[in-house]
Amino acid sequence: MNMDNYIPATAKGAPAGMGIDPVATGEKNINMDGIEETTIKMSARNLDVFYGDKQALFGIDLDVPERSVTALIGPSGCGKSTFLRCLNRMNDTIDGCRVEGDIRIDQSDIYDRALDVVELRTRIGMVFQKPNPFPKSIYDNVAYGPKIHGLAQDREELDHIVTSSLEKAGLLKEVADRLESPGTGLSGGQQQRLCIARAIAVSPEVILMDEPCSALDPIATAHIEELIDELRENFTIVIVTHNMQQAARVSQQTAFFHLGILVECNSTGEIFTSPSDERTQGYITGRYG
Amino acid sequence: MTENNTTDAALRLRHKRYASERRFNIYGIISIAVALGALCLLIGSMASKGWSAFQQTYIILEVELPRDDLAPQGKIDAETLRDVNYVSYLRKSLRTEIPGVKSRRDQRSLYKLLSSGATLGLQNLVLNDTKLIGQKIKFAAVASDDIDQLVKGNISAGKGGKVSKKQGDWVKKLTDAGKIEKRFNTNLFSNGDSREPELAGIWGATMGSLLTMFVTVLLSFPLGVAAAIYLEEFARKNRWTDLIEVNINNLAAVPSIVFGLLGLAVFLSFFGLPRSAPLVGGIVLALMTLPTIIIAGRAALGAVPPSIREAAIGMGASPMQVVLHHVLPLAFPGILTGTIIGAARALGETAPLLMIGMVAFIVDIPGSITDAATVLPVQIYLWADSPERAFVERTAAATLILLTFLILMNLVAVIMRKKFERRW
Ligand SMILES: Nc1ncnc2c1ncn2[C@@H]1O[C@H](COP(=O)(O)OP(=O)(O)OP(=O)(O)O)[C@@H](O)[C@H]1O
Ligand SMILES: [Mg+2]
């Protein structure tokens, strides 16, 4: 599928379904010229977001490549979280929030009326800034998603999903002997990894992370960064971070937001070595933000 | 020098802060002491007045049960046993106990020592155990309310009072002979209302209260919780929901008698539901309790941290699943507390029930929600209005029992909250 075929359209104007099968396009890694290239997993075109009368995002165009990490950076209040929350339609739950423009996953419009938002959120998982495990046992925390989406046939399969998710999140060793104790009793870093395990238990295609390390100490942060690097092999990851080193370490693509505008988006190496915009330059060298 | 000044100023500031903290503590302790004192005074006065009602005076009589009357030709059948004139046995026994009462007037006043309920007691005794027929048995006959009061020392004999000088002498004679006994007042707990204080009990009113509460909770709890969930979790916040919220708050402040008028006009007059029935009382009290439950429920739901909701939504839980799996379990203790407090208020409510006829004099124990019934607080109101001296202590006793129920309910609220409370 060539990206040239891709016509930006507003969410409301787009005809239902656009006739593109998301599964078929998701597998294609080869463009018309026969050259292998990274597939675009998610894309935003001309995205405007309003909170009441106040506009928070202005005409954002951004592509998220598959099986890689995209970092969103920028000063506080520039709209990084807002953008992230558009990607799995968490903004729907905020009264007075209005989204205009076009966001696609595997070429299908996520604001399509025919699309089931609950199903969308199983494809796009989310990890929040503050660890927020359910006040249930560690096991139940991870098992919750598979349970409500019927991903496990029996208890054995569920056990398997839970342990393998905890394993992938690098938490299994620490909690293997106390799966029935409350998830809220873990340390902050462990709780955050529990939240990551919970998110990957439903095998999403995309994982959104909003400052997942901001409440953690350097060791726990290093843990999670390693984890993100491993998860990249199977998942598409979008991460918001205030930590420039972190963005440089974990991401392949970086997008710099400023006052609701996407200033610059490029490969991480490019952004951190030779940014094209002087605002980006100023931000990453710590002159403001 | 300047350093010293600032330290002094800081020190003074600190002393002032400590002093104001101490003062605030003292105010708090005083107000709690006043509240507790008032409560103790209430319960204490009720207990001191009502305590004696838990005992009842009995006259121990030797009663002959002649075989000729009760089992003519040696045959025992229920009909005869029911038709026999038991009063005459009691009176005869009383006359042997106090000999020398000749004139008809004196005899009549002698018989008045006994309650009319004594006859019924003897009949039941014989019906239950026919082996007693033909024997001379010891029977504890319920004394009349005036004698009861005399024995308890609440009134004295003669001087134109309820108990004549002669009656007083007879009672004294019986007491000296050890024939007067005070026993635990089972009638108070097992009977319905009665014109005779010594036979009146609160069981009818208690059943009425239970049936009414049953209807109230059955209606108001699901409706209230559903309304709270809808308003807090699903409804869009706009002018309409604001209007609804304001009106629910207003509804909570409406005087309860207005709900009674509503019940009278709508449920009795328009829908033709039975008067004095726990069904109607329950509906009226449910309407009154509903706003309390909705307000408490919304507060409890609102107190659940939004991060839990976000986590569940992010996991792809549907709005219904978010509420049922996560928000409601966390809010449940609060909702329960609100419901029990609302129900406790409804249990103590009198005014609206007066309007729908639950103030009638009802002797039978209600067995279903459509039977005529009264409730505990109305029973208290009725007894408090009665002229007999013996009803004074029964009013206090019934109040104690009602208070016990209320305290039990609040205890249940506390225990439930502790049991279901989960930390996060
Ligand atoms: N629920 C909301 N209602 C109204 N305005 C909001 C809401 N959430 C965010 N905003 C506004 O939208 C703008 C972007 O906010 P956003 O949370 O996306 O910033 P951010 O880049 O994530 O900042 P930070 O790095 O501090 O998290 C801000 O000006 C903020 O005030
Ligand atoms: Mg943010």
Side-chain angles (χ1 to χ4, degrees):
Chain A
M1 178 62 57
N2 194 312
M3 285 314 293
D4 293 347
N5 294 349
Y6 177 42
I7 310 140
T10 58
K12 289 180 188 83
M18 284 293 275
I20 300 161
D21 183 1
V23 181
T25 50
E27 302 301 322
K28 281 197 182 150
N29 276 9
I30 306 202
N31 76 356
M32 271 185 157
D33 309 321
I35 303 162
E36 195 171 331
E37 64 170 27
T38 42
T39 315
I40 301 305
K41 184 68 184 175
M42 295 194 77
S43 61
R45 287 290 174 277
N46 207 9
L47 184 74
D48 295 324
V49 178
F50 304 83
Y51 289 111
D53 297 330
K54 190 173 159 290
Q55 188 164 3
L57 287 179
F58 299 84
I60 306 292
D61 292 318
L62 183 66
D63 290 332
V64 177
E66 191 169 33
R67 290 176 212 279
S68 73
V69 179
T70 300
L72 308 181
I73 60 170
S76 188
C78 66
K80 306 179 295 292
S81 298
T82 303
F83 178 75
L84 200 71
R85 295 164 62 92
C86 287
L87 294 180
N88 69 345
R89 290 184 57 177
M90 282 295 270
N91 279 339
D92 290 13
T93 59
I94 297 175
D95 277 326
C97 179
R98 195 154 48 85
V99 178
E100 285 174 11
D102 191 59
I103 300 180
R104 296 178 166 256
I105 177 166
D106 293 334
Q107 306 290 25
S108 63
D109 183 1
I110 70 164
Y111 280 89
D112 190 336
R113 273 172 199 282
L115 179 130
D116 180 36
V117 63
V118 165
E119 197 224 344
L120 175 79
R121 292 196 190 116
T122 66
R123 296 175 66 190
I124 308 175
M126 189 154 191
V127 177
F128 297 84
Q129 175 170 2
K130 217 176 116 232
N132 55 355
F134 298 129
K136 299 175 190 276
S137 73
I138 293 172
Y139 184 95
D140 286 339
N141 260 284
V142 184
Y144 182 68
K147 257 189 214 158
I148 61 169
H149 300 302
L151 300 183
Q153 302 302 323
D154 49 29
R155 176 80 192 193
E156 214 172 301
E157 203 177 339
L158 193 61
D159 285 348
H160 176 72
I161 294 177
V162 170
T163 41
S164 73
S165 305
L166 285 170
E167 172 80 69
K168 274 186 229 164
L171 190 62
L172 188 60
K173 257 188 255 142
E174 289 153 73
V175 301
D177 54 340
R178 48 172 172 154
L179 288 179
E180 293 308 321
S181 56
T184 41
L186 297 173
S187 78
Q190 288 173 328
Q191 286 188 20
Q192 194 62 300
R193 277 179 286 153
L194 178 62
C195 292
I196 294 176
R198 182 177 67 188
I200 59 187
V202 292
S203 339
E205 298 157 33
V206 182
I207 302 176
L208 310 176
M209 300 183 172
D210 194 349
E211 299 181 43
C213 303
S214 64
L216 305 183
D217 69 276
I219 294 169
T221 303
H223 250 98
I224 289 186
E225 284 181 11
E226 263 170 52
L227 177 62
I228 291 170
D229 212 43
E230 285 162 23
L231 292 176
R232 174 162 65 91
E233 289 173 19
N234 298 309
F235 303 96
T236 304
I237 295 171
V238 184
I239 180 173
V240 172
T241 177
H242 276 279
N243 183 330
M244 292 308 110
Q245 286 82 29
Q246 182 170 66
R249 279 194 298 265
V250 300
S251 72
Q252 285 72 54
Q253 172 180 269
T254 299
F256 174 64
F257 283 73
H258 184 60
L259 297 176
I261 294 164
L262 175 61
V263 175
E264 196 174 346
C265 176
N266 213 332
S267 77
T268 300
E270 203 72 14
I271 289 267
F272 281 98
T273 50
S274 51
S276 55
D277 194 290
E278 63 184 42
R279 284 171 294 184
T280 318
Q281 169 89 38
Y283 183 69
I284 60 176
T285 54
R287 241 175 289 144
Y288 61 82
Chain B
M1 198 62 204
T2 41
E3 211 173 279
N4 245 341
N5 268 346
T6 33
T7 333
D8 276 358
L11 218 61
R12 241 178 293 126
L13 216 61
R14 176 144 36 106
H15 279 309
K16 237 170 115 180
R17 202 176 66 221
Y18 285 165
S20 82
E21 271 167 23
R22 254 197 312 277
R23 236 178 303 135
F24 187 78
N25 271 344
I26 291 170
Y27 293 154
I29 290 170
I30 288 175
S31 55
I32 288 175
V34 168
L36 278 181
L39 189 69
C40 287
L41 201 69
L42 171 75
I43 294 183
S45 80
M46 283 296 151
S48 66
K49 256 195 254 163
W51 205 240
S52 51
F54 293 115
Q55 289 203 316
Q56 166 66 37
T57 306
Y58 287 84
I59 303 176
I60 313 297
L61 294 174
E62 308 255 326
V63 182
E64 281 223 44
L65 299 169
R67 186 176 288 276
D68 294 350
D69 286 9
L70 291 158
Q73 289 112 40
K75 270 191 294 173
I76 297 172
D77 69 300
E79 201 161 320
T80 336
L81 287 184
R82 227 169 263 127
D83 286 348
V84 168
N85 189 5
Y86 293 94
V87 189
S88 59
Y89 307 153
L90 291 171
R91 290 183 176 170
K92 193 174 156 212
S93 161
L94 208 55
R95 281 200 307 272
T96 19
E97 211 63 66
I98 313 215
V101 183
K102 287 284 172 288
S103 78
R104 274 188 144 266
R105 244 183 85 189
D106 283 354
Q107 281 192 350
R108 214 178 302 138
S109 81
L110 174 64
Y111 299 154
K112 280 209 177 127
L113 296 189
L114 293 178
S115 159
S116 58
T119 318
L120 206 67
L122 184 61
Q123 182 183 351
N124 283 338
L125 193 73
V126 174
L127 278 172
N128 284 338
D129 187 3
T130 48
K131 278 207 276 313
L132 296 175
I133 293 171
Q135 294 182 18
K136 189 170 194 178
I137 59 165
K138 260 193 167 179
F139 175 67
V142 183
S144 77
D145 58 317
D146 293 329
I147 302 308
D148 181 49
Q149 292 303 301
L150 179 72
V151 170
K152 285 173 182 168
N154 289 338
I155 56 174
S156 48
K159 295 170 237 139
K162 286 266 191 181
V163 181
S164 69
K165 187 85 181 54
K166 265 190 188 149
Q167 282 176 320
D169 292 343
W170 293 329
V171 170
K172 194 156 185 319
K173 203 169 166 196
L174 286 169
T175 316
D176 293 343
K179 300 287 180 186
I180 298 273
E181 248 177 49
K182 278 197 275 183
R183 294 186 177 179
F184 182 68
N185 188 357
T186 45
N187 284 341
L188 182 65
F189 292 95
S190 60
N191 284 7
D193 198 7
S194 170
R195 296 277 182 233
E196 308 297 335
E198 72 275 12
L199 300 178
I202 50 134
W203 184 236
T206 308
M207 276 308 285
S209 271
L210 289 178
L211 290 168
T212 309
M213 278 303 104
F214 174 74
V215 175
T216 302
V217 172
L218 204 70
L219 286 177
S220 61
F221 183 66
L223 282 177
V225 173
I229 289 177
Y230 179 75
L231 285 173
E232 193 65 26
E233 302 288 328
F234 293 100
R236 288 207 167 272
K237 307 275 173 288
N238 57 25
R239 219 171 295 156
W240 288 111
T241 44
D242 283 350
L243 193 73
I244 290 173
E245 181 166 2
V246 168
N247 276 308
I248 287 173
N249 290 343
N250 283 340
L251 219 52
V254 168
S256 57
I257 191 126
V258 177
F259 287 100
L261 288 168
L262 176 88
L264 178 62
V266 176
F267 301 122
L268 296 190
S269 305
F270 187 74
F271 286 113
L273 292 176
R275 277 180 76 82
S276 314
L279 175 65
V280 182
I283 296 174
V284 167
L285 292 181
L287 290 178
M288 199 193 81
T289 316
L290 211 48
T292 316
I293 296 181
I294 295 176
I295 291 169
R298 291 191 63 178
L301 289 167
V304 174
S307 64
I308 299 291
R309 279 189 194 82
E310 282 188 336
I313 294 169
M315 288 307 298
S318 68
M320 206 62 221
Q321 286 171 330
V322 173
V323 170
L324 291 183
H325 296 169
H326 302 285
V327 179
L328 200 55
L330 290 176
F332 200 66
I335 297 178
L336 215 58
T337 310
T339 306
I340 292 177
I341 288 171
R345 201 188 131 205
L347 179 65
E349 197 58 69
T350 322
L353 301 180
L354 302 185
M355 307 307 300
I356 56 157
M358 288 188 91
V359 70
F361 171 71
I362 292 150
V363 178
D364 294 328
I365 314 286
S368 79
I369 54 171
T370 48
D371 290 351
T374 188
V375 294
L376 277 170
V378 175
Q379 186 70 77
I380 291 169
Y381 165 78
L382 284 171
W383 284 355
D385 223 24
S386 301
E388 284 89 349
R389 179 64 181 78
F391 271 129
V392 173
E393 58 178 30
R394 280 172 174 76
T395 306
T399 310
L400 277 180
I401 292 163
L402 180 61
L403 282 176
T404 310
F405 274 119
L406 292 175
I407 290 170
L408 276 180
M409 282 177 83
N410 284 327
L411 210 64
V412 168
V414 171
I415 292 170
M416 295 269 224
R417 193 168 50 206
K418 279 272 172 297
K419 185 162 178 281
F420 288 114
E421 206 162 48
R422 273 197 279 180
R423 276 171 290 275
W424 53 80

